[in-house]
Each structure stands twice: as structure tokens, then as C-alpha cells.
Amino acid sequence: MRQDSVNRGKAGRSARDAAPAGDVRFDLPPVFGGDDDRRMAQRAEAQWQAARAPHAAMPGHRDMATGAAGAFAEHALQLDLRRGDRVDVLFAGAAVMAAFGIAPGYLASDGDGGLAALLLDSCELMRLWHAIVPVDAALAGSTSACLLTRGVLLPLADDAGGFGYVHGVLNWKQLLDRAASENLRREVNVVLRGDSALLSAFPESLRKN
């Protein structure tokens, strides 16, 4: 391994370790998304690729199981883009509805920061490029919680062969806001200080905090 690579790695770790508590990144996990998040999106894309005919830009909406019939029904979305600039939700899984407030029907923008706004922007791109759009964003949930969201949006053809539908698969994790994080930290400290045996099991540096 080259020494300059080692030095850069050490410098990067030092910068992360020195990040102040007021930094907006402080409450974020060091790596967003785990293997489960990646596998769900990768499996959905693999199914899309398998359903696509040779030399076709995308599979037809009848060529793969989507919506309630799909493998990821709880975390799935199916969008209809056949009416000009309008986007309609044909199907939203129960988990998606609960987390983001997305329901079947006309998809109206929920303002910046929500899933609806991201979907509408992504659909505009897909109308232009007919391409797969990955999702990797921090979005406001239906309860205003911040949801770290990962997934994929896949184009599907209508019966005439043109782009007409979107099949989406999403996974997410809720991130505590700063106030909730501070409350949790205080509650943990109270419990630990009330149990000296439990407290002594932690390193001294953590006990001081």
C-alpha cells in the first residue's frame, strides 16, 4: 500500500474524530444504509433487468410483478405517468403509506423535503431519459421525522411500448433529531448513574460524558 494513501486515510479519520458536536453531521451514522437496503434495491433492479426483452429500453408494465403482486409489496410504489405532466399513484405499500403519507390517487407535491416532491422530480427526469433513478436521500416522513431513504425507481412501458409507468422500491431508517438525541442521552445517563455496577462496565471516557 502506498504511504500517501495511508496518510490520506489517517487524515480522514482524524478529521471525522475531530468533528465538533455542533456539526450537522454529528448525529448521522458513519455509514448510511446497510446490506438489507442495498439488497432490496438490487433485487428489484435484477427483476427489472430479467423482465426486459432483448434490445428493449425497458420491460412492459405487464412483464413483471409490481404493486401488491410484487416481491416487495409493503415497500413498493407504482406510478402512472400516461397523462401528460400528471402523476398518479396506482399502488402504495402499507409501509410506504404509513411512513410517508403517500396514498393511491393524484400525486401532489408536499413541498421540499418530502417523498412526493422527490418522486415528481424523478419522474420528470425519467420522462426525458427513460432511465433507472436511484434514491438515496434524507426525507421528511408523515410525522415530520427524518427518514434516511434508499431505493430505486424503475421505468416501465405502457401497452404501446412507450414510457408510461414507474415501479419503485424503497427502504428507510428513522433518524432521531437533535432534541430527541439529547433527551435519549440524558435518560441513559440517569439510568447508568443509578446503577453503579452497570456504570462501571463502561469505559471511563464514556462515564464522564
Side-chain angles (χ1 to χ4, degrees):
M1 182 182 294
R2 293 178 54 185
Q3 186 62 39
D4 56 349
S5 298
V6 174
N7 291 338
R8 283 197 299 272
K10 290 180 178 178
R13 287 193 296 272
S14 298
R16 289 194 298 271
D17 294 341
D23 193 311
V24 294
R25 299 167 298 172
F26 182 72
D27 290 329
L28 289 173
V31 177
F32 162 51
D35 291 339
D36 290 342
D37 303 319
R38 294 186 181 93
R39 278 197 293 266
M40 183 176 287
Q42 289 169 355
R43 286 172 58 196
E45 186 172 345
Q47 291 176 356
W48 182 89
Q49 295 284 3
R52 186 176 61 167
H55 309 299
M58 68 195 85
H61 70 105
R62 302 182 191 276
D63 295 334
M64 64 180 293
T66 59
F72 313 103
E74 291 288 306
H75 289 255
L77 283 163
Q78 188 172 7
L79 308 178
D80 185 347
L81 282 70
R82 295 174 299 167
R83 303 180 185 178
D85 293 335
R86 178 187 176 104
V87 176
D88 291 290
V89 179
L90 297 181
F91 174 84
V96 174
M97 288 194 287
F100 297 100
I102 299 291
Y106 173 68
L107 182 63
S109 177
D110 52 6
D112 294 337
L115 178 60
L118 181 144
L119 291 174
L120 291 170
D121 290 342
S122 298
C123 287
E124 288 304 307
L125 291 176
M126 296 175 82
R127 281 190 172 103
L128 292 173
W129 302 108
H130 301 173
I132 295 172
V133 174
V135 175
D136 197 341
L139 301 173
S142 58
T143 61
S144 298
C146 181
L147 303 177
L148 300 179
T149 308
R150 169 173 278 160
V152 64
L153 301 176
L154 304 163
L156 297 173
D158 58 21
D159 291 333
F163 173 53
Y165 300 89
V166 171
H167 172 51
V169 175
L170 303 172
N171 206 349
W172 55 89
K173 291 180 174 66
Q174 183 171 333
L175 178 68
L176 292 179
D177 60 26
R178 191 170 297 277
S181 297
E182 290 299 327
N183 288 337
L184 179 60
R185 187 177 293 114
R186 283 194 294 269
E187 290 173 3
V188 169
N189 285 339
V190 168
V191 171
L192 292 178
R193 291 192 176 106
D195 189 331
S196 57
L198 183 59
L199 180 60
S200 64
F202 284 78
E204 183 179 356
S205 59
L206 292 179
R207 295 201 299 267
K208 289 180 180 179
N209 293 329

Coordinates of all heavy atoms in Angstrom, one line a residue, residues 152-197:
V152 N -34.9 2.4 -5.4 CA -34.7 2.6 -6.8 C -36.1 2.8 -7.5 O -37.1 2.3 -7.0 CB -34.0 1.3 -7.4 CG1 -34.9 0.1 -7.2 CG2 -33.6 1.5 -8.8
L153 N -36.1 3.6 -8.5 CA -37.3 3.8 -9.3 C -37.0 3.3 -10.7 O -36.0 3.7 -11.4 CB -37.6 5.3 -9.4 CG -37.8 6.0 -8.1 CD1 -38.0 7.5 -8.3 CD2 -39.0 5.4 -7.4
L154 N -37.9 2.4 -11.2 CA -37.6 1.7 -12.5 C -38.7 2.0 -13.5 O -39.9 1.9 -13.2 CB -37.7 0.2 -12.2 CG -36.7 -0.3 -11.1 CD1 -37.1 -1.7 -10.6 CD2 -35.3 -0.3 -11.6
P155 N -38.3 2.4 -14.7 CA -39.3 2.7 -15.8 C -39.9 1.5 -16.4 O -39.3 0.5 -16.5 CB -38.4 3.5 -16.8 CG -37.0 2.9 -16.6 CD -36.9 2.6 -15.2
L156 N -41.2 1.6 -16.7 CA -41.9 0.5 -17.3 C -42.7 1.1 -18.5 O -43.2 2.2 -18.5 CB -42.9 -0.1 -16.3 CG -42.3 -0.8 -15.1 CD1 -43.4 -1.3 -14.2 CD2 -41.4 -2.0 -15.5
A157 N -42.8 0.3 -19.5 CA -43.5 0.7 -20.8 C -45.0 0.5 -20.6 O -45.5 -0.4 -19.9 CB -43.0 -0.1 -22.0
D158 N -45.8 1.3 -21.4 CA -47.2 1.1 -21.4 C -47.5 0.1 -22.5 O -46.6 -0.5 -23.1 CB -48.0 2.4 -21.7 CG -47.5 3.1 -22.9 OD1 -46.9 2.5 -23.8 OD2 -47.7 4.4 -23.0
D159 N -48.8 -0.1 -22.8 CA -49.1 -1.2 -23.8 C -48.7 -0.8 -25.2 O -48.5 -1.7 -26.1 CB -50.7 -1.4 -23.8 CG -51.1 -2.0 -22.5 OD1 -50.3 -2.8 -21.9 OD2 -52.3 -1.8 -22.1
A160 N -48.4 0.5 -25.5 CA -48.0 0.9 -26.8 C -46.5 0.8 -26.9 O -45.9 1.1 -28.0 CB -48.5 2.3 -27.1
G161 N -45.8 0.5 -25.8 CA -44.3 0.5 -25.9 C -43.6 1.7 -25.4 O -42.4 1.7 -25.3
G162 N -44.3 2.8 -25.2 CA -43.7 4.0 -24.7 C -43.6 4.0 -23.2 O -44.3 3.2 -22.5
F163 N -42.8 4.9 -22.6 CA -42.7 5.0 -21.2 C -44.0 5.5 -20.6 O -44.6 6.5 -21.0 CB -41.6 6.0 -20.9 CG -41.4 6.4 -19.4 CD1 -41.3 5.4 -18.5 CD2 -41.5 7.7 -19.0 CE1 -41.2 5.7 -17.1 CE2 -41.3 8.0 -17.6 CZ -41.2 7.0 -16.7
G164 N -44.5 4.7 -19.6 CA -45.8 5.1 -19.0 C -45.9 4.9 -17.5 O -46.8 5.4 -16.9
Y165 N -45.0 4.0 -16.9 CA -45.2 3.7 -15.5 C -43.8 3.7 -14.8 O -42.8 3.6 -15.5 CB -45.8 2.3 -15.4 CG -47.2 2.1 -16.0 CD1 -47.3 1.7 -17.3 CD2 -48.3 2.4 -15.2 CE1 -48.6 1.5 -17.9 CE2 -49.6 2.2 -15.8 CZ -49.7 1.8 -17.1 OH -50.9 1.6 -17.6
V166 N -43.9 3.8 -13.5 CA -42.7 3.7 -12.7 C -43.0 2.7 -11.6 O -44.0 2.8 -10.9 CB -42.3 5.1 -12.1 CG1 -41.2 4.9 -11.0 CG2 -41.9 6.1 -13.1
H167 N -42.1 1.8 -11.4 CA -42.1 0.8 -10.3 C -41.0 1.2 -9.3 O -39.8 1.3 -9.7 CB -41.9 -0.6 -10.8 CG -41.7 -1.6 -9.7 ND1 -42.6 -1.8 -8.7 CD2 -40.8 -2.6 -9.6 CE1 -42.2 -2.8 -7.9 NE2 -41.1 -3.3 -8.4
G168 N -41.4 1.5 -8.1 CA -40.4 2.0 -7.1 C -40.4 1.0 -5.9 O -41.4 0.5 -5.5
V169 N -39.2 0.8 -5.4 CA -39.0 0.0 -4.2 C -38.1 0.8 -3.2 O -37.0 1.3 -3.6 CB -38.3 -1.3 -4.5 CG1 -38.0 -2.1 -3.2 CG2 -39.2 -2.2 -5.4
L170 N -38.6 1.1 -2.0 CA -37.9 1.9 -1.0 C -37.7 1.2 0.3 O -38.5 0.4 0.7 CB -38.7 3.2 -0.8 CG -39.1 4.1 -2.0 CD1 -40.0 5.2 -1.6 CD2 -37.8 4.6 -2.7
N171 N -36.6 1.6 1.0 CA -36.3 1.2 2.3 C -35.8 2.4 3.1 O -35.3 3.3 2.5 CB -35.3 0.1 2.3 CG -35.4 -0.8 3.6 OD1 -36.1 -0.5 4.5 ND2 -34.7 -1.9 3.6
W172 N -36.0 2.4 4.4 CA -35.7 3.7 5.1 C -35.4 3.3 6.6 O -35.7 2.3 7.1 CB -36.8 4.7 5.0 CG -38.1 4.2 5.5 CD1 -38.6 4.2 6.8 CD2 -39.1 3.5 4.7 NE1 -39.8 3.6 6.8 CE2 -40.2 3.2 5.5 CE3 -39.2 3.2 3.3 CZ2 -41.3 2.5 5.0 CZ3 -40.3 2.6 2.8 CH2 -41.3 2.3 3.7
K173 N -34.7 4.3 7.2 CA -34.4 4.2 8.6 C -34.7 5.6 9.2 O -34.3 6.6 8.6 CB -32.9 3.8 8.9 CG -32.6 2.4 8.5 CD -31.1 2.1 8.8 CE -30.8 0.6 8.5 NZ -31.0 0.3 7.1
Q174 N -35.3 5.6 10.4 CA -35.6 6.9 11.0 C -34.4 7.4 11.8 O -33.7 6.7 12.5 CB -36.8 6.8 12.0 CG -37.2 8.1 12.6 CD -38.5 8.0 13.4 OE1 -39.3 7.2 13.1 NE2 -38.6 8.8 14.4
L175 N -34.1 8.7 11.6 CA -33.0 9.3 12.3 C -33.6 10.3 13.4 O -34.5 11.1 13.2 CB -32.2 10.2 11.3 CG -31.0 11.0 11.9 CD1 -29.9 10.0 12.4 CD2 -30.5 11.9 10.8
L176 N -33.1 10.1 14.6 CA -33.5 11.0 15.7 C -33.0 12.4 15.4 O -31.9 12.6 15.0 CB -32.9 10.5 17.0 CG -33.4 9.2 17.6 CD1 -32.7 8.9 18.9 CD2 -34.9 9.2 17.8
D177 N -33.9 13.4 15.7 CA -33.5 14.8 15.6 C -32.6 15.1 16.8 O -32.5 14.3 17.7 CB -34.7 15.7 15.4 CG -35.6 15.7 16.6 OD1 -35.2 15.3 17.7 OD2 -36.8 16.0 16.4
R178 N -32.0 16.3 16.8 CA -31.0 16.6 17.8 C -31.7 16.7 19.2 O -31.1 16.2 20.2 CB -30.4 18.0 17.5 CG -29.2 18.3 18.4 CD -28.4 19.5 17.9 NE -27.9 19.2 16.6 CZ -26.7 18.6 16.4 NH1 -26.1 18.1 17.4 NH2 -26.3 18.4 15.2
A179 N -32.9 17.2 19.3 CA -33.6 17.3 20.6 C -33.9 15.9 21.1 O -33.7 15.6 22.3 CB -34.9 18.0 20.4
A180 N -34.4 15.0 20.3 CA -34.6 13.6 20.7 C -33.3 12.9 21.1 O -33.3 12.1 22.1 CB -35.3 12.8 19.6
S181 N -32.2 13.2 20.4 CA -31.0 12.6 20.7 C -30.5 13.0 22.1 O -30.0 12.2 22.9 CB -29.9 12.9 19.7 OG -30.2 12.4 18.4
E182 N -30.6 14.3 22.4 CA -30.2 14.8 23.7 C -31.1 14.2 24.8 O -30.6 13.9 25.9 CB -30.3 16.4 23.7 CG -29.3 17.1 22.9 CD -27.9 16.8 23.3 OE1 -27.7 16.6 24.5 OE2 -27.0 16.7 22.5
N183 N -32.4 14.1 24.6 CA -33.3 13.5 25.6 C -32.9 12.1 25.9 O -32.8 11.6 27.0 CB -34.7 13.6 25.1 CG -35.3 15.0 25.2 OD1 -34.8 15.8 25.9 ND2 -36.3 15.2 24.4
L184 N -32.6 11.3 24.8 CA -32.2 9.9 25.0 C -30.9 9.8 25.7 O -30.7 9.0 26.6 CB -32.0 9.3 23.6 CG -31.6 7.8 23.6 CD1 -32.6 6.9 24.4 CD2 -31.4 7.3 22.2
R185 N -29.9 10.7 25.4 CA -28.6 10.7 26.1 C -28.8 11.0 27.6 O -28.2 10.3 28.5 CB -27.7 11.7 25.5 CG -26.3 11.7 26.0 CD -25.4 12.7 25.2 NE -25.2 12.3 23.9 CZ -25.6 13.0 22.8 NH1 -26.3 14.1 23.0 NH2 -25.4 12.5 21.6
R186 N -29.7 11.9 27.9 CA -29.9 12.3 29.3 C -30.6 11.1 30.1 O -30.2 10.8 31.2 CB -30.8 13.5 29.5 CG -30.1 14.8 29.2 CD -30.9 16.0 29.7 NE -32.1 16.1 28.9 CZ -32.2 16.9 27.8 NH1 -31.1 17.6 27.3 NH2 -33.3 17.0 27.1
E187 N -31.5 10.4 29.4 CA -32.2 9.3 30.0 C -31.2 8.1 30.3 O -31.3 7.5 31.3 CB -33.4 8.8 29.2 CG -34.5 9.8 29.1 CD -35.6 9.4 28.1 OE1 -35.4 8.3 27.5 OE2 -36.5 10.2 27.9
V188 N -30.3 7.9 29.3 CA -29.4 6.8 29.5 C -28.4 7.2 30.7 O -28.1 6.3 31.5 CB -28.6 6.6 28.2 CG1 -27.4 5.7 28.4 CG2 -29.5 6.0 27.1
N189 N -28.0 8.4 30.7 CA -27.1 8.8 31.8 C -27.7 8.6 33.2 O -27.1 8.2 34.2 CB -26.7 10.3 31.6 CG -25.7 10.5 30.5 OD1 -25.0 9.5 30.2 ND2 -25.6 11.7 30.0
V190 N -29.0 9.0 33.3 CA -29.8 8.8 34.5 C -29.8 7.4 35.0 O -29.5 7.0 36.1 CB -31.2 9.4 34.4 CG1 -32.0 9.0 35.6 CG2 -31.2 10.9 34.3
V191 N -30.1 6.5 34.0 CA -30.1 5.0 34.3 C -28.8 4.5 34.7 O -28.6 3.8 35.7 CB -30.7 4.3 33.1 CG1 -30.5 2.8 33.3 CG2 -32.1 4.6 32.8
L192 N -27.7 4.9 34.0 CA -26.4 4.4 34.3 C -25.9 4.9 35.7 O -25.3 4.2 36.5 CB -25.4 4.8 33.2 CG -25.6 4.2 31.9 CD1 -24.6 4.7 30.9 CD2 -25.5 2.7 32.0
R193 N -26.2 6.2 36.0 CA -25.7 6.7 37.3 C -26.5 6.1 38.5 O -26.0 6.1 39.6 CB -25.9 8.2 37.3 CG -24.9 8.9 36.4 CD -24.8 10.4 36.6 NE -23.8 11.0 35.7 CZ -24.0 11.7 34.6 NH1 -25.2 11.9 34.2 NH2 -23.0 12.2 33.9
G194 N -27.7 5.5 38.2 CA -28.5 4.9 39.2 C -28.1 3.5 39.4 O -28.5 2.8 40.4
D195 N -27.2 2.9 38.6 CA -26.8 1.5 38.7 C -25.3 1.5 38.6 O -24.7 1.5 37.5 CB -27.4 0.7 37.6 CG -27.2 -0.8 37.8 OD1 -26.1 -1.2 38.4 OD2 -28.0 -1.6 37.3
S196 N -24.6 1.5 39.7 CA -23.1 1.7 39.8 C -22.5 0.5 39.1 O -21.4 0.6 38.5 CB -22.7 1.8 41.2 OG -23.1 0.7 42.0
A197 N -23.0 -0.7 39.3 CA -22.5 -1.9 38.7 C -22.5 -1.8 37.2 O -21.5 -2.2 36.5 CB -23.2 -3.2 39.2

